[in-house]
């Protein structure tokens, strides 16, 4: 039996046309996502889907003002999939609805003791490795993307051809306009939820911010987006570029912190590593305590890259590092916890491994411990700002 692989979707043209192509291609996955989130929001907050979309409507104006082309892309997605614009907007703002301060009652669910607890931050472990950390001399970026197991069948690999802007490759939930990925400009974005309650002011959804970052032609432009754009919730952004440079920004509505690699290696999880923001410092506790285990375990495993003699060996070492099971099921390679209801199960949806030197993009359709990386048929540098010499 062939190993599981992620669906490949390629779109191009004007924003509305891109959206229609996207929506038509992922119609079954998008409808599955809507069905899951209707169940999940009902379970955690007792809300109907119409109540969720009514709350998501507050992001229509901010998205339209900041990135009208992305709102048009969402309209096209809705048309192509045969759903409402607010359905697509809710899928793009699902994290904002879950973690929004003014909707705080939505994201509480009972723990086994009967107490009400805050929804864990979206779990991910991101990395960048280059220079002294990369024995083969290549620049590597990637992450384990941990989220709800119930959306595993909705994840697709999306390639967006949008000249003169860079061509993008991203792993997304069907219907989302951005999440994490890399571009023909040689920039990778890997992202992690951070948690924490901030003010009630409305900011942009992460899907829009992350897409805006990847749309930029240079690392400084990407940083400008992160520093000058007010996102609605806190999120970590690890930027890596093919020239051999990486920087990590812990972005929050109340200010940012930043980190640089140590000897070419940088790993980030779901807790504040640059410093807890003053706005939440008084009573801050990591919403994903397992992040305190995942980060050092990933660092330990990825140090083996220093001895790699070539890209094939590097990918094997990355897979081995990202398959770590200390603390299972909430380990670096995350598996569903049988002690919890199925609707609350988490898993590693995708493990990504991007060679920014050659433009080769590899992913797993699920946990990396029990499957090989899928080599995508697209090269990053087949697009604006791409350089054929980068593949040598």
């Amino acid at each position: 039996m062939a190993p599981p692989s992620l669906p490949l979707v390629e779109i191009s043209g004007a924003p509305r046309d891109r959206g229609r192509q996207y929506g038509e291609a992922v119609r079954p996955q998008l409808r599955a996502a809507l069905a899951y989130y209707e169940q999940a929001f009902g379970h955690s907050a007792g809300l109907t889907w119409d109540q969720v979309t009514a709350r998501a409507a507050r992001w229509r104006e901010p998205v339209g003002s900041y990135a009208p082309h992305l709102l048009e892309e969402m309209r096209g997605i809705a048309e192509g999939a045969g759903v409402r614009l607010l359905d697509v907007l809710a899928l793009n703002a699902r994290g904002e609805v879950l973690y929004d301060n003014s909707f705080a009652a939505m994201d509480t669910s009972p723990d086994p003791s009967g107490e009400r607890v805050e929804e864990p931050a979206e779990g991910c472990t991101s990395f960048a490795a280059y220079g002294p950390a990369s024995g083969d001399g290549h620049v590597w970026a990637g992450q384990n993307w941990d989220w709800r197991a119930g959306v595993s069948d909705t994840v697709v690999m999306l390639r967006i051809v949008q000249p003169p802007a860079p061509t993008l490759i991203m792993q997304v939930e069907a219907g989302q306009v951005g999440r994490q990925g890399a571009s023909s400009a040689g920039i990778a974005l890997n992202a992690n939820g951070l948690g924490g309650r901030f003010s009630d002011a409305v900011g942009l959804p992460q899907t829009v911010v992350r897409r805006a970052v990847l749309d930029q032609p240079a690392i400084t432009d990407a940083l400008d987006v992160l520093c000058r754009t007010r996102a609605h919730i806190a999120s970590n952004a690890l930027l890596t570029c093919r020239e051999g440079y990486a920087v990590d920004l812990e972005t929050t509505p109340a200010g940012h912190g930043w980190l640089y690699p140590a000897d070419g290696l940088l790993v980030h999880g779901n807790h504040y590593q640059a410093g807890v923001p003053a706005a939440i410092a008084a009573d801050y506790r990591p919403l994903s305590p397992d992040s305190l285990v995942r980060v050092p375990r990933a660092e330990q495993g990825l140090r083996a890259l220093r001895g790699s003699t070539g890209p094939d060996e590097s990918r094997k070492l990355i897979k081995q590092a990202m398959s770590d099971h200390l603390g299972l099921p909430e380990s670096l390679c995350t598996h569903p916890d049988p002690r919890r209801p199925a609707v609350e199960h988490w898993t590693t949806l995708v493990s990504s491994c991007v060679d920014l030197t050659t433009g080769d993009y590899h992913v797993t359709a699920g946990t990396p411990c029990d499957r090989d990386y899928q080599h995508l048929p697209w090269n990053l540098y087949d697009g604006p700002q791409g350089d054929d010499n980068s593949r040598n």
Side-chain angles (χ1 to χ4, degrees):
M1 179 181 295
S5 59
L6 294 172
L8 307 178
V9 177
E10 185 166 358
I11 60 176
S12 61
R16 193 78 163 258
D17 295 332
R18 292 196 302 261
R20 289 194 189 101
Q21 295 163 28
Y22 183 9
E24 289 171 1
V26 302
R27 182 180 287 234
Q29 291 96 337
L30 191 151
R31 289 176 178 271
L34 293 176
Y36 171 76
Y37 283 117
E38 180 175 13
Q39 178 190 15
F41 277 105
H43 173 79
S44 65
L47 293 175
T48 66
W49 185 247
D50 282 343
Q51 289 173 319
V52 172
T53 56
R55 284 158 171 77
R58 71 191 314 219
W59 282 284
R60 178 162 45 189
E61 192 281 327
V63 173
S65 295
Y66 176 76
H69 62 293
L70 293 184
L71 188 62
E72 277 298 285
E73 202 168 280
M74 290 185 202
R75 290 186 195 279
I77 293 168
E79 292 167 358
V83 298
R84 301 172 300 172
L85 171 61
L86 287 182
D87 292 327
V88 175
L89 190 57
L91 290 178
N92 278 274
R94 51 94 164 141
E96 285 67 26
V97 174
L98 275 170
Y99 304 120
D100 182 60
N101 192 56
S102 62
F103 304 148
M106 293 180 59
D107 68 351
T108 55
S109 56
D111 72 6
S113 69
E115 297 294 324
R116 306 297 289 185
V117 296
E118 193 170 350
E119 184 77 20
E122 182 169 4
C124 301
T125 311
S126 300
F127 70 88
Y130 60 89
S134 176
D136 63 12
H138 289 215
V139 178
W140 297 93
Q143 71 180 95
N144 278 6
W145 172 22
D146 308 330
W147 182 236
R148 305 295 190 90
V151 302
S152 58
D153 290 337
T154 77
V155 177
V156 301
M157 295 305 304
L158 180 65
R159 183 173 189 253
I160 303 176
V161 180
Q162 50 178 1
T167 295
L168 310 184
I169 300 175
M170 299 183 292
Q171 53 263 30
V172 297
E173 293 170 49
Q176 293 181 342
V177 298
R179 186 141 296 279
Q180 47 259 346
S183 76
S184 61
I187 299 170
L189 167 66
N190 296 101
N192 317 59
L194 287 173
R197 294 288 181 193
F198 294 88
S199 74
D200 294 343
V202 178
L204 290 169
Q206 280 298 315
T207 54
V208 172
V209 174
R210 296 176 189 181
R211 171 66 176 275
V213 168
L214 283 172
D215 278 347
Q216 302 308 310
I219 185 73
T220 45
D221 297 314
L223 282 168
D224 194 65
V225 170
L226 290 170
C227 289
R228 297 183 184 276
T229 302
R230 189 188 190 282
H232 193 79
I233 59 175
S235 182
N236 188 72
L238 174 50
L239 293 175
T240 312
C241 61
R242 62 179 164 181
E243 291 83 0
Y245 176 84
V247 59
D248 186 278
L249 265 70
E250 295 176 347
T251 68
T252 84
H256 296 355
W258 52 89
L259 296 165
Y260 296 102
D263 295 324
L265 178 64
L266 198 161
V267 177
H268 205 289
N270 302 109
H271 61 284
Y272 290 93
Q273 296 172 219
V276 179
I280 61 171
D283 58 359
Y284 172 73
R285 298 178 185 181
L287 289 183
S288 298
D290 51 285
S291 177
L292 303 176
V293 173
R294 290 186 275 111
V295 169
R297 292 294 286 187
E299 289 174 341
Q300 180 181 338
L302 290 168
R303 288 191 190 106
L305 278 176
R306 296 173 182 173
S308 174
T309 57
D312 290 344
E313 183 181 2
S314 292
R315 285 193 301 275
K316 291 177 182 177
L317 292 170
I318 290 170
K319 170 179 157 61
Q320 181 177 327
M322 304 307 282
S323 297
D324 185 75
H325 282 155
L326 181 65
L328 189 73
E330 294 183 347
S331 45
L332 180 51
C333 179
T334 301
H335 292 256
D337 187 342
R339 297 169 296 184
R340 304 197 66 84
V343 70
E344 297 178 11
H345 282 179
W346 286 57
T347 192
T348 296
L349 295 175
V350 176
S351 182
S352 59
C353 172
V354 182
D355 185 341
L356 287 171
T357 301
T358 64
D360 291 305
Y361 205 120
H362 293 79
V363 293
T364 62
T367 47
C369 63
D370 52 2
R371 64 205 73 200
D372 292 328
Y373 281 113
Q374 170 189 353
H375 185 195
L376 299 186
W378 309 311
N379 188 281
L380 272 180
Y381 301 125
D382 291 335
Q385 290 87 46
D387 179 0
D388 289 336
N389 292 327
S390 63
R391 302 185 203 179
N392 296 332

